[in-house]
Amino acid sequence: MNTAFNTLSKGGDPMLTRWRQQIWTHGPVRMKVIIAACLLAVVPIAILGTTTYLLASHSLFKEIGSANRETVKQVQERIDDKLVNLDKVVLQHAFNPVFKEFLSSSNPYEDPERFKSVMAILTSMEGLINDTDGVYLYMTAQNLIVNPSQGIAEASRLHRSVLDEIKKHNEPFFWMDRIRSEPSVPRGGTHVVTFVRRLPVSIDKPLGYLIIELNDRALFDVFSHMQFGKSGEMLIVTPTGNILSDWNKHLLKPDFNDPVIYRMSTSNASEEMYSATIDKQELLINYLKSDYNGWRYVSAVPVKELTSSIEWIKNATLAISVLLVLISIIAAITLSGSFLRVLHGIIDLVRKKNTGLPLPQANMDEFGLLRHYMESLHSAKRDLEQQLLESMPLLRANFLQKLISDSMTKEEMEEKIRYYGIEMPAPFYTVLYVELDHMRGQTEQDVQLFTYAAMNIAKELFVLRGAYGAVFQTQTDHIALLFNHGDEHTSTNELKASAFNLAEELHRVMQSLLHITVTIGIGHCYRGMEQIKLSRKEAQEALQYQMIQGCGKVIYIGSMLPKSSAYEYPIEQEQFILTGVKLGHLDQVCQQVDEFAARLTDSQRTGNYDHVQQAFVQLIAASLKTLFELDPEEGPKLYHYNVYQRLGRMKTSEAIVKWLKEEIYPTLLHHIIQRRSLRQRDTMEKVLDYIHQHYEEDLSQPQLADLASMPASQFSHLFKVETGMTFTDYIIAYRMEKAKEWLRGTDLKVAEIADRLSYNNPQNFIRGFKRLCGMTPGEYRTRNTLKNQVETE
């Protein structure tokens, strides 16, 4: 048998030989065909997956870069706004006539009151400007500076570079920056950002400058909470060649040798976005240049960090590609019945790794099972579509909010407008902002009901007028109307009139139906939806002119832009108010507050609303300064809230005046009068104690008035109010009481008592005693001696 087997193994039988050749020849060929078919199926799948991933990555990278660019833009706008607002505060104080009088004087010490006024203004500016390192008044003629903490000092206290820049510049104002600690690299140490404004007090030559120094930390506090990623870095490259940094991250080199910083410092482009590899790390670079002061804002964020949240897209694409490859392999292998068990293994794996889809029937075959899971996926898709449909109003409102506030490409705007079904076929766009007045103090439910009703009124009016556009609520709780109107032949005046007529009708209907006042701000009309953001900003700014115009009106930004008129601060009314505060005359204060507001708003009727609000800030600062001077201990604790924040929330001058007359000044004057009464009582007690200890001396009213630190006439009046007697009568009465004690308890002679009480003549003492007590000193002693004897017996 073994021999036969060996013979067969060696191929002795021709039939067995042919069978063995089929196995080793046709078998591998069949397997090769199957593998080749799978590979051919995998190639287009791999190409499709790779292409899809690359396209998605590029699109996502572009979207992320745009989002990061918007963040940098917001930082740049916020810092520019901070610098512009600082300029407004300085400008508001620069027109104070006290500066002109002070700088025109050859001797700054000749008028102490004027010097105190200058110090008060500089102190007020330090309080109004956040994060300031110092406020200085530079006197060019005397080469001196005035500072609230240093007083009058030599100009050499200022940094040499500041004085050099003042000599170079002829502009009304300019910004400069320098390194405080003079390090070896531009980004080291602390930077000082300095603002210099020439005081408009002379035509021929400048007599002085206001200089405000800011620490660069004040700027980086603006975007300390902005989302630059966990390891992103933000820099500001200034025209003077300094680099302002928050120092917390160092993705870029600390000097201009860094290719990114060098490229930005030498670029003429206003903005740029690109990726660069630095130290083996790919960074997304965004660059913006400020039109206000030429500062260049640079953001560097690792691309890996930005794309970490979307890494699942890559994994999902890879998983889908692998799944398609597996499906292709399965389809090819299924052609061979001998490998059907592979399909059973995959199905078992799906059953074990159930992803939460509905369970299939137990008796399903492999293809039925696959069909079951595909139907489950279609069902999940329908549920997602239903959820998307239900969320459409919220998504639409979010898009409209983004449309009027964020930067978007024209193609993106048009695509999303079509997607959300918003009809805006006309070429011109105007934004209107509606504010419901006097909602402060209302419950949140009432506010939402009024807002909902007002939005419905606006939508109905759009329908009735056949107007195109949208109505929605903004993040600032205003009601925004995006009005799409006009055609190619419509004139500018017609466009303006149609927007104004819509606002007037909306104003009338809302006030009539809701029984509340509303204020509507109208921006300019612009061609093309790219300018919608600008119209929105103007409409929002128009609402701020409530400070001048009052609420319950329709305000068009075109009629409210500031004209070239000098800003006038009612300094005379301020002095009257402060005098009334010091005297405790509330009626005078309230009358002058009305006059203050009237003169202020009349001078700014077509001016800047910021000037009006800043004027009230200065008035409150001066009033609080007076309070603190009169009562340095309890004065700062008088108000339990921040009065400047409360003022900032008020939108009309009428509301501010009412608040000042009904809350601020009554509380302030009541406190001053009460403290003054206590202080006067303490003063009188001090005077009476002195009298009781020195009654034997020759006391005079002027002497005691000096002790009380007040004029003799005021002392005389206050003494009589507190004691009910004149000063002379009180001295006589007290001395007579002492005389009675001596007459009762001692053997002193009448002449000795008169001498002790500083009477030059005993007869004068006797006459005064008799006039006051109804008997002579001798009679008084005799009567009290007999009385004591009777009581003893």
Side-chain angles (χ1 to χ4, degrees), residues 394-658:
L394 180 59
L395 295 174
R396 183 175 180 270
N398 290 338
F399 161 68
L400 291 171
Q401 176 65 40
K402 183 178 180 182
L403 179 65
I404 66 171
S405 58
D406 297 342
S407 297
M408 301 171 62
T409 63
K410 182 179 179 181
E411 294 75 14
E412 184 180 4
M413 292 180 184
E414 292 176 347
E415 177 186 355
K416 292 189 176 182
I417 285 175
R418 288 192 299 270
Y419 176 77
Y420 289 109
I422 304 172
E423 284 191 84
M424 287 194 288
F428 295 96
Y429 299 85
T430 304
V431 176
L432 292 76
Y433 257 41
V434 181
E435 182 173 291
L436 309 183
D437 301 326
H438 310 303
M439 288 290 103
R440 184 180 179 84
Q442 300 283 348
T443 64
E444 183 64 23
Q445 182 179 4
D446 290 342
V447 172
Q448 292 301 325
L449 287 175
F450 275 112
T451 303
Y452 179 75
M455 290 179 62
N456 282 338
I457 291 173
K459 292 176 182 178
E460 289 293 332
L461 189 59
F462 261 53
V463 174
L464 291 175
R465 292 173 64 99
Y468 297 110
V471 179
F472 56 97
Q473 186 175 4
T474 69
Q475 294 177 350
T476 57
D477 292 332
H478 292 103
I479 299 173
L481 281 75
L482 179 54
F483 185 28
N484 179 230
H485 56 126
D487 54 39
E488 299 295 338
H489 306 291
T490 309
S491 65
T492 302
N493 290 333
E494 291 174 335
L495 293 169
K496 185 193 305 181
S498 63
F500 199 83
N501 290 337
L502 174 64
E504 286 283 3
E505 185 174 359
L506 186 64
H507 180 264
R508 177 181 56 80
V509 174
M510 282 188 177
Q511 294 194 154
S512 175
L513 296 180
L514 301 180
H515 303 290
I516 60 172
T517 61
V518 297
T519 303
I520 302 179
I522 310 175
H524 283 113
C525 179
Y526 291 97
R527 181 186 182 89
M529 61 181 64
E530 300 90 344
Q531 304 297 327
I532 291 176
K533 181 180 177 181
L534 181 57
S535 182
R536 186 275 308 170
K537 185 176 181 180
E538 292 171 344
Q540 195 171 15
E541 184 178 1
L543 285 181
Q544 294 177 309
Y545 279 94
Q546 296 177 80
M547 183 64 65
I548 300 174
Q549 297 294 319
C551 58
K553 295 180 173 61
V554 175
I555 305 174
Y556 173 56
I557 190 63
S559 62
M560 300 308 301
L561 291 177
K563 296 181 180 179
S564 56
S565 58
Y567 168 69
E568 297 180 6
Y569 179 77
I571 186 66
E572 183 179 355
Q573 276 62 44
E574 179 194 273
Q575 296 302 317
F576 285 147
I577 291 171
L578 298 182
T579 301
V581 168
K582 294 176 181 177
L583 297 177
H585 296 166
L586 181 59
D587 293 340
Q588 173 184 334
V589 171
C590 292
Q591 179 183 354
Q592 291 303 321
V593 167
D594 289 332
E595 183 66 22
F596 180 93
R599 289 193 56 183
L600 188 66
T601 53
D602 286 345
S603 66
Q604 296 295 309
R605 182 59 61 180
T606 57
N608 196 317
Y609 57 86
D610 278 340
H611 286 165
V612 177
Q613 189 171 49
Q614 288 298 327
F616 281 112
V617 169
Q618 181 173 337
L619 175 62
I620 290 179
S623 301
L624 293 181
K625 181 175 180 292
T626 302
L627 170 64
F628 300 160
E629 289 175 349
L630 295 175
D631 185 10
E633 295 182 0
E634 299 297 328
K637 307 175 186 177
L638 180 59
Y639 299 101
H640 61 277
Y641 56 85
N642 189 314
V643 294
Y644 296 108
Q645 290 181 357
R646 178 73 62 85
L647 174 65
R649 292 197 292 266
M650 296 185 182
K651 300 176 180 178
T652 65
S653 58
E654 290 86 350
I656 296 175
V657 169
K658 181 180 179 182

Side-chain angles (χ1 to χ4, degrees), residues 360-402:
Q361 297 179 9
N363 57 352
M364 278 187 177
D365 58 14
E366 290 77 9
F367 294 101
L369 184 62
L370 292 175
R371 179 180 179 182
H372 164 77
Y373 282 114
M374 292 300 294
E375 290 176 350
S376 299
L377 290 174
H378 281 292
S379 177
K381 178 183 177 182
R382 287 194 298 271
D383 293 340
L384 289 175
E385 291 176 346
Q386 180 63 29
Q387 293 178 10
L388 178 62
L389 185 62
E390 294 173 355
S391 303
M392 189 60 69
L394 180 59
L395 295 174
R396 183 175 180 270
N398 290 338
F399 161 68
L400 291 171
Q401 176 65 40
K402 183 178 180 182

Side-chain angles (χ1 to χ4, degrees), residues 116-134:
K116 288 182 180 179
S117 299
V118 171
M119 292 290 284
I121 296 173
L122 297 179
T123 303
S124 173
M125 292 175 64
E126 280 192 343
L128 294 174
I129 301 173
N130 296 327
D131 304 311
T132 177
D133 276 359

Side-chain angles (χ1 to χ4, degrees), residues 158-425:
L158 291 174
H159 197 269
R160 182 74 255 173
S161 61
V162 177
L163 298 176
D164 293 341
E165 291 296 325
I166 289 177
K167 295 177 182 178
K168 295 178 184 178
H169 286 78
N170 294 322
E171 298 87 352
F173 71 92
F174 62 89
W175 288 93
M176 61 172 293
D177 54 272
R178 60 181 173 84
I179 305 174
R180 184 192 298 275
S181 54
E182 303 295 344
S184 58
V185 293
R187 193 165 61 175
T190 302
H191 290 73
V192 178
V193 180
T194 305
F195 175 75
V196 181
R197 173 169 281 281
R198 184 176 63 202
L199 291 176
V201 296
S202 175
I203 299 177
D204 299 332
K205 61 179 181 178
L207 297 179
Y209 293 84
L210 282 172
I211 302 171
I212 291 84
E213 291 190 343
L214 295 175
N215 191 289
D216 63 348
R217 309 310 306 160
L219 304 179
F220 282 86
D221 286 344
V222 171
F223 57 83
S224 60
H225 301 293
M226 300 293 287
Q227 296 298 323
F228 285 102
K230 297 179 181 179
S231 58
E233 182 175 14
M234 182 73 187
L235 301 175
I236 299 177
V237 181
T238 68
T240 55
N242 288 322
I243 302 176
L244 310 182
S245 168
D246 62 356
W247 308 340
N248 294 327
K249 292 123 182 181
H250 294 85
L251 297 176
L252 307 177
K253 295 180 180 178
D255 53 31
F256 286 89
N257 291 327
D258 188 284
V260 174
I261 298 178
Y262 178 78
R263 175 175 177 174
M264 298 308 169
S265 62
T266 58
S267 174
N268 293 323
S270 59
E271 62 179 279
E272 192 174 359
M273 181 184 73
Y274 66 97
S275 62
T277 302
I278 299 178
D279 294 335
K280 300 180 180 180
Q281 182 175 214
E282 186 179 7
L283 301 178
L284 174 64
I285 309 297
N286 265 289
Y287 153 71
L288 283 174
K289 181 179 180 181
S290 170
D291 296 331
Y292 176 68
N293 53 13
W295 287 2
R296 303 166 188 267
Y297 295 79
V298 183
S299 164
V301 184
V303 173
K304 183 178 180 180
E305 178 181 322
L306 292 174
T307 58
S308 60
S309 61
I310 58 170
E311 188 69 18
W312 64 271
I313 295 180
K314 175 181 177 181
N315 297 332
T317 304
L318 180 61
I320 292 174
S321 299
V322 171
L323 179 62
L324 293 176
V325 169
L326 292 176
I327 293 175
S328 300
I329 294 175
I330 292 171
I333 293 177
T334 305
L335 297 176
S336 176
S338 61
F339 293 98
L340 190 60
R341 61 180 178 275
V342 177
L343 180 59
H344 286 282
I346 295 175
I347 298 302
D348 291 338
L349 180 63
V350 171
R351 286 185 176 135
K352 293 178 181 178
K353 302 291 185 180
N354 196 306
T355 58
L357 297 175
L359 295 175
Q361 297 179 9
N363 57 352
M364 278 187 177
D365 58 14
E366 290 77 9
F367 294 101
L369 184 62
L370 292 175
R371 179 180 179 182
H372 164 77
Y373 282 114
M374 292 300 294
E375 290 176 350
S376 299
L377 290 174
H378 281 292
S379 177
K381 178 183 177 182
R382 287 194 298 271
D383 293 340
L384 289 175
E385 291 176 346
Q386 180 63 29
Q387 293 178 10
L388 178 62
L389 185 62
E390 294 173 355
S391 303
M392 189 60 69
L394 180 59
L395 295 174
R396 183 175 180 270
N398 290 338
F399 161 68
L400 291 171
Q401 176 65 40
K402 183 178 180 182
L403 179 65
I404 66 171
S405 58
D406 297 342
S407 297
M408 301 171 62
T409 63
K410 182 179 179 181
E411 294 75 14
E412 184 180 4
M413 292 180 184
E414 292 176 347
E415 177 186 355
K416 292 189 176 182
I417 285 175
R418 288 192 299 270
Y419 176 77
Y420 289 109
I422 304 172
E423 284 191 84
M424 287 194 288

Side-chain angles (χ1 to χ4, degrees), residues 692-717:
H692 298 164
Q693 295 174 12
H694 302 84
Y695 63 90
E696 298 177 354
E697 301 175 7
D698 188 12
L699 300 175
S700 65
Q701 182 168 298
Q703 176 188 358
L704 274 296
D706 289 340
L707 179 65
S709 301
M710 61 179 66
S713 58
Q714 182 182 355
F715 173 79
S716 176
H717 173 74

